[in-house]
Amino acid sequence: NTPFVCIIFHLIVNILIFVLGLAGHLSVHRHKQRAGKEGQVLHRSKRGWVWNQFFVIEEYTGPDPVLVGRLHSDVDSGDGNIKYILSGEGAGTIFVIDDKTGNIHATKTLDREEQAQYTLTAQAVARDTNKPLEPPSEFIVKVQDINDNPPEFLHGPYYARVPEMSNVGTSVMQVTATDADDPTYGNSARLVYSILQGQPYFSVEPQTGIIRTALPNMDREARQEYDVVIQAKDMGGHMGGLSGTTEVKITLTDVNDNPPKFPQSVYSMTVSEDKVPGEEVGRLHAKDPDLGDNGLVNYRLIDGDGITMFELSTDSETREAVVKLKKPVDFETKRSYTLKVEGSNPHVDPQFLAWGPYKDEATIKISVEDADEPPVFVAPSYTFEVEENAPEGTLVGRVHAKDTDVANNPVRYMIPRYTDVEQFFSINSEDGMITTTRPLDREAQPWHNISVSATEIGHHQDTKVRVNIKVKDVNDNPPEFATNNEVLMCETVAPGKVCFRVIETVSAVDKDEMAHRQHFTFSLAPEVAHNHNFSLKDNRDSTASIYVLRKGFSRLTQDVYYLPIEINDNGFPAMSSTNTLTIRVCSCDSKDTILSCNVEPYVLPAGLSTGALIAILACIVILLAIVVLFVALRRQKKEPLIVFEEEDIRENIITYDDEGGGEEDTEAFDIATLQNPDGANGFLPRKDIKPELQYPIRPGIGRPAANSVDVDDFIKTRIAEADSDPTAPPYDSIQIYGYEGRGSLAGSLSSLESVTTESDLDYDYLQSWGPRFKKLADLYGTKDCSINDADDGEDS
């Protein structure tokens, strides 16, 4: 019904406009006629139709096109000769015109939110000639708004945060909705906000959309999040208006409104007495429901008899209070402790200070448990003294340890061998008495540092203590000269003067400790106390001076004097020794500068020092050594054993007991090797040994001619020569070639190799091989007999 009423209303408005335009036109026409009659003034003709704008309602859905308005010109007499033309935005598509009547219709549904107005141009022309009868006129068609768009929240859903415990009316956030309808026409875009969900905790201002808290003391620990629904409705919120909603998620942020609280008022813990400082005893935690820094809790000990024995720290991850041992506890001394702990918030909000106090207290009762502890020595360390050279079994001292446990078990003692490697001491395992095992020498080792271990019977835990043993000195070492016991004296020394020497005084040392005001005394030995050469004066400061009693010393007569001196240390008991001082007579110049202390001084050439002479002698010795070495090497050169006039050819008996290697046999027998034409006429001398006797060659033995090729005679001749010379070593050699030639898989068939070895093989099986091997069987079967016969022949 509403669109129809609007259409009727717009039609009435358009008719009124048209009537007013027509009346104006008539009034203008009359004015023209009056003016023509009065002054006959000519004016240009004006169009006879006036309009400014039309209106059309949006979203019209009727069956017929909507009449927007009607165009009419005063030149239109109604005979149909005038044609109306429409152009501009939407002409022909959205807006059409009846060219005869000038009625304008909207053929499509219009949406003001898409386009609010259209600009069109109208003109009246002659139908037959299309000649313009009126100038073109522009007008506007406005789309009239209706409430067809609901409000929208473009940025939803929304998220907001507000501190817990906020006062009523605290602003949370503002939400804003938009309406696409025309805000200048009616109430279509007039919005009103309301809350649909979230009461009674929150409220919203109807005009602005600001959300505020509606309840006091909203506690985050009770509820942290709220889902609020806000509605925006147009038409001023009246019935028939369109609406839109959005969600707002409101979170309460934390404030420090809760103090820490221990779940228990009393905590019980235990600690063993064998725990070491720093170990954890137990934990406790004060709960605070606040978050972050608001929930931090600091712990401290405020009272209790164990405040000096325990300490408190905070675990950075769990925020727990950790009780740790600060000092060792002893079950036998004290068996329980009490601590009072306070937990407090370091960050307190002044706004909620009156809600305090923001701290809590708890009591901790700690029980000490008994543990099997090792024995404890009465002293942390021991120091004893024992005299050196004390006999075996001398008491050094006693160590004592006790079991601090309730059982009070007996303790056994021992000395770890690694602390007393040489085993100078022993200890009684029951009473801890330390004694020596041998006499001690202070000069060898003045201190002995050992350890003693104490162990409870039936337990493995032990305790060690340091024992320092000082060896007290006994005067058991005689004094002796401190430095070199030789002095130098010039031949021309005058009587009564101190001997010239390298050191100014004769002094002594003693391996023993020198007591206060103890010094050495010097005197001549009784056997030289009345000598006429030297005297001694004790300077009473542990030194002595030597004086000459005569003159006329000569190093040619006597160059060294030995003076025995007795030294006494005046200790208790007193120790003395006799030390010999060597006095050497030297040649000196007029200024008592020593020139030589030898018996027969060698006068050195001028300008040539002793070092230079030594260098020259060393060079001569090196040269002589090189010559001797060279001669020895020349003599060691190897020479041939047999000397020939022209050449020396070694003779060998070479046996080839093979069947030939075919083409591979490149080492054929060379008869020239066995020939010695030059040696056939006489005895060949030897170079490696000189015979004592020369035996003549037996006359009955024949010799082959120089160029003879009779090998058998040649060999017999050489054997006879070797047998006739008993002084010559065996010279002929037998070379055995026990192979079939290179590449042959056959073994050696040489009988010589077998004969020369001490083989225990049984060759009787050769008898069963048949007549073809009879010769071989006889040869090996009579081997021992033939060798023995040959030996017998040689012996004879």
Side-chain angles (χ1 to χ4, degrees), residues 787-796:
I787 292 176
N788 292 334
D789 294 342
D791 293 339
D792 294 339
E794 290 179 1
D795 293 338
S796 59

Side-chain angles (χ1 to χ4, degrees), residues 266-287:
V266 178
Y267 291 84
S268 298
M269 300 179 182
T270 59
V271 60
S272 179
E273 63 176 342
D274 59 354
K275 295 290 186 180
V276 297
E279 289 196 40
E280 181 179 326
V281 177
R283 295 186 174 215
L284 67 161
H285 182 232
K287 295 183 178 180

Side-chain angles (χ1 to χ4, degrees), residues 632-699:
L633 292 175
R634 288 294 299 271
R635 289 182 177 179
Q636 289 180 359
K637 286 187 176 180
K638 189 175 180 180
E639 296 181 1
L641 298 177
I642 302 177
V643 179
F644 296 93
E645 293 180 2
E646 294 180 0
E647 60 181 353
D648 182 14
I649 300 176
R650 178 169 176 167
E651 299 172 355
N652 297 305
I653 297 177
I654 302 174
T655 303
Y656 291 85
D657 54 347
D658 54 47
E659 295 185 2
E663 295 180 356
E664 294 184 358
D665 190 0
T666 58
E667 298 179 0
F669 180 75
D670 187 2
I671 194 61
T673 307
L674 300 177
Q675 294 179 351
N676 188 4
D678 297 330
N681 298 326
F683 179 75
L684 298 177
R686 303 287 299 235
K687 293 292 293 181
D688 57 344
I689 186 171
K690 182 177 181 181
E692 295 179 359
L693 298 174
Q694 296 288 342
Y695 292 87
I697 301 175
R698 295 178 184 179

Side-chain angles (χ1 to χ4, degrees), residues 611-629:
L613 288 177
I614 294 175
I616 293 173
L617 291 176
C619 293
I620 294 173
V621 171
I622 292 172
L623 291 175
L624 290 176
I626 293 173
V627 172
V628 171
L629 181 62

Side-chain angles (χ1 to χ4, degrees), residues 49-63:
W49 42 286
V50 178
W51 61 87
N52 186 11
Q53 60 184 4
F54 293 132
F55 295 90
V56 62
I57 193 168
E58 68 170 337
E59 303 294 343
Y60 174 73
T61 58

